[in-house]
Amino acid sequence: MTDKRDPRPAGVFLSITPLVTLAVFLIASIATFGDATTGGPAQLGLMMAGLVAGLIGLWRGYDWKELEEQTYEVVARAMPIVFILLAIGLLIGLWIAAGVIPALIFYSLELISPSLFYLATLILCALVSISIGSSWTTAGTIGLALVSAAQIAGLPAGIVAGAVISGAYFGDKLSPLSDTTNLAAGLTGTDLFDHIRFLLWTTLPAFGVALIGFAILSFAGSAEVDVTRITQVSGALDESFSVSPVLLLPLVITLGLAAFRVSAFAALIIGALVGGGFGLAFQPALTADGLGSGLAMLASAGANGFVAETGVDQLDSLLSRGGMESFLTTIWLILSAMFFGGMMEKSGSLDVIVRLMITGVKTGGGLMQRAGLTALLANIITPDQFLAIAAPSQMYRKSFEEAGLETKSLSRVLEDFGTVTSPLIPWNTCGAYMAATLGVATFAYAPFAFFNLASPVISFLFAGLGFQVARRVGVTGTPHS
């Protein structure tokens, strides 16, 4: 801080006031607006709670201009996410118009057995994500197609979205290509592959829970599949679009770029443009009135979304989406959340809450539990997946060292609690992204994101039992609060 005065100390009661304000707004909004909460009411709640945190900063002696400027720095961290969201909107709009997503839906309906749909979705998304190291790219490409196919088949979108997210985050958590995996290892000073091997102790049991859960739901849900509807929709897709295996190539190219560590934004933009080019080449309807008309249709789909007219109401509703415009509400939510997180951080309220979290820790396992819960809390407050890993890694690193724990003990709990819980929080950048991309509300898919729910629970239990709490050889210590 540039202010030379020592700030007034803020007690716990005062510091949690913004959280209480946010909770009141969100509870009232959910009760009143339901799933529409993230369409404006949640943003208002986040802004108001952020202003309360700012007033606390003023009371402590900080200058408002200083608080505002430093909060803008926090908001600026969301800019890469904003551009990725715009790229996803562009990709979805162009891929629908070009027939890429219709082809993915068509072949998903043809190839995946209804009796194994949820289970197959989980495994397929896990394999794709572990190969490319990106849960976002997995969800925005193959995940979107699978959710769409499930809706056509009459299966609950919330369950299949839960399977997509479970598989995507399993792969993201274990892939050496993943940003969060490298971040957790790097910030704690842990060897990357030591980190990944230690993650297996909690990640594999959690994935086992997901496998069992989706296997049960798959067999139970197969009776709900409407075969007649599948036949009708498949026919409408074939009539409205020129469906061909070649249209799967833009997906392969996009995933390939991600696997070769091309930035997510660049990979999505390139994939979107390649898809648009394939549309001009393989969709006669686009160029029926000339190339100029086809380019104009693609530009409209990329900016404002595609409007489907297949004659099948459900399919039209499913395919009339995408475009950069469709993500503006999500971007609004993210910016509001970052404003709240910035004010919490810069007013000092977050520091008080974190100090409270570490008070009274007596064991290494207890320290791991507190670090994990802090990462979860950071996902709610800051609210960004990377910050939920970065902030606790620095807050707890010295305490872990004093307790004689290996750095991989810290890196693992940051992933167990920080990485995987982010899509379960509607105003977190990951939760907002998944809901907007898959077209399923966070509260609809969260109960079925079995992997994401099981990971922190298993990690918390293991730490409490002292199981797989890695200590440095020949070193003993006691956590210092």
Side-chain angles (χ1 to χ4, degrees), residues 181-208:
T181 304
N182 281 276
L183 182 69
L187 290 178
T188 58
T190 307
D191 176 79
L192 176 61
F193 291 100
D194 282 346
H195 169 64
I196 291 173
R197 282 191 291 269
F198 201 52
L199 277 174
L200 294 174
W201 286 103
T202 51
T203 304
L204 291 182
F207 194 65

Side-chain angles (χ1 to χ4, degrees), residues 130-149:
I130 205 167
S131 299
I132 66 173
S134 172
S135 56
W136 283 32
T137 303
T138 301
T141 51
I142 190 66
L144 173 61
L146 290 167
V147 171
S148 301

Side-chain angles (χ1 to χ4, degrees), residues 190 198 368 400 405-414 468-471:
T190 307
F198 201 52
M368 290 177 70
F400 270 66
L405 298 179
E406 288 192 42
T407 57
K408 65 183 180 182
S409 293
L410 177 57
S411 66
R412 190 186 75 191
V413 294
L414 294 180
Q468 289 302 313
V469 176
R471 298 183 180 277

Side-chain angles (χ1 to χ4, degrees), residues 46-373:
L46 288 162
M47 294 293 291
M48 294 303 296
L51 288 173
V52 170
L55 290 175
I56 292 172
L58 281 178
W59 178 84
R60 295 191 67 196
Y62 296 123
D63 180 70
W64 178 260
K65 183 178 180 181
E66 180 184 18
L67 283 171
E68 196 174 283
E69 289 176 350
Q70 292 186 345
T71 297
Y72 292 156
E73 293 176 8
V74 175
V75 174
R77 299 171 189 165
M79 287 302 102
I81 299 164
V82 167
F83 284 103
I84 288 173
L85 288 171
L86 293 174
I88 280 284
L90 176 68
L91 180 141
I92 292 172
L94 291 183
W95 277 20
I96 294 175
V100 177
I101 288 178
L104 285 167
I105 296 171
F106 181 86
Y107 290 117
S108 295
L109 293 172
E110 291 283 320
L111 298 176
I112 297 180
S113 169
S115 63
L116 296 173
F117 196 93
Y118 302 134
L119 189 59
T121 295
L122 171 70
I123 294 171
L124 179 59
C125 288
L127 291 173
V128 171
S129 186
I130 205 167
S131 299
I132 66 173
S134 172
S135 56
W136 283 32
T137 303
T138 301
T141 51
I142 190 66
L144 173 61
L146 290 167
V147 171
S148 301
Q151 290 177 295
I152 289 168
L155 295 171
I159 298 179
V160 73
V164 168
I165 290 167
S166 291
Y169 275 84
F170 169 79
D172 194 323
K173 192 178 175 188
L174 290 182
S175 175
L177 304 179
S178 167
D179 287 343
T180 55
T181 304
N182 281 276
L183 182 69
L187 290 178
T188 58
T190 307
D191 176 79
L192 176 61
F193 291 100
D194 282 346
H195 169 64
I196 291 173
R197 282 191 291 269
F198 201 52
L199 277 174
L200 294 174
W201 286 103
T202 51
T203 304
L204 291 182
F207 194 65
V209 170
L211 285 170
I212 293 169
F214 287 114
I216 293 171
L217 289 174
S218 289
F219 294 126
S222 62
E224 303 174 12
V225 174
D226 189 337
V227 178
T228 303
R229 185 189 297 176
I230 292 176
T231 303
Q232 179 190 25
V233 167
S234 294
L237 284 170
D238 202 24
E239 289 178 9
S240 303
F241 298 91
S242 179
V243 177
S244 165
V246 74
L247 289 171
L248 303 180
L249 284 176
L251 170 64
V252 174
I253 291 169
T254 303
L255 296 181
L257 289 170
F260 280 99
R261 305 305 300 274
V262 174
S263 74
F265 175 73
L268 291 168
I269 289 290
I270 293 170
L273 296 177
V274 169
F278 271 62
L280 292 174
F282 297 102
Q283 298 299 331
L286 280 178
T287 54
D289 295 326
L291 180 61
S293 175
L295 290 171
M297 291 172 67
L298 287 174
S300 176
N304 308 114
F306 182 76
V307 179
E309 297 177 352
T310 65
V312 178
D313 290 342
Q314 184 190 20
L315 186 58
D316 288 344
S317 176
L318 196 63
L319 295 180
S320 295
R321 60 186 306 176
M324 291 183 283
E325 183 183 27
S326 66
F327 280 86
L328 294 182
T329 300
T330 303
I331 291 170
W332 177 22
L333 177 64
I334 290 171
L335 293 179
S336 300
M338 296 301 284
F339 172 77
F340 168 68
M343 281 295 183
M344 284 292 291
E345 180 181 338
K346 299 307 177 184
S347 68
S349 298
L350 184 60
D351 286 340
V352 174
I353 294 171
V354 169
R355 285 198 300 271
L356 177 65
M357 294 287 291
I358 198 173
T359 301
V361 177
K362 301 298 183 184
T363 66
L367 190 62
M368 290 177 70
Q369 289 176 326
R370 297 294 179 90
L373 290 173

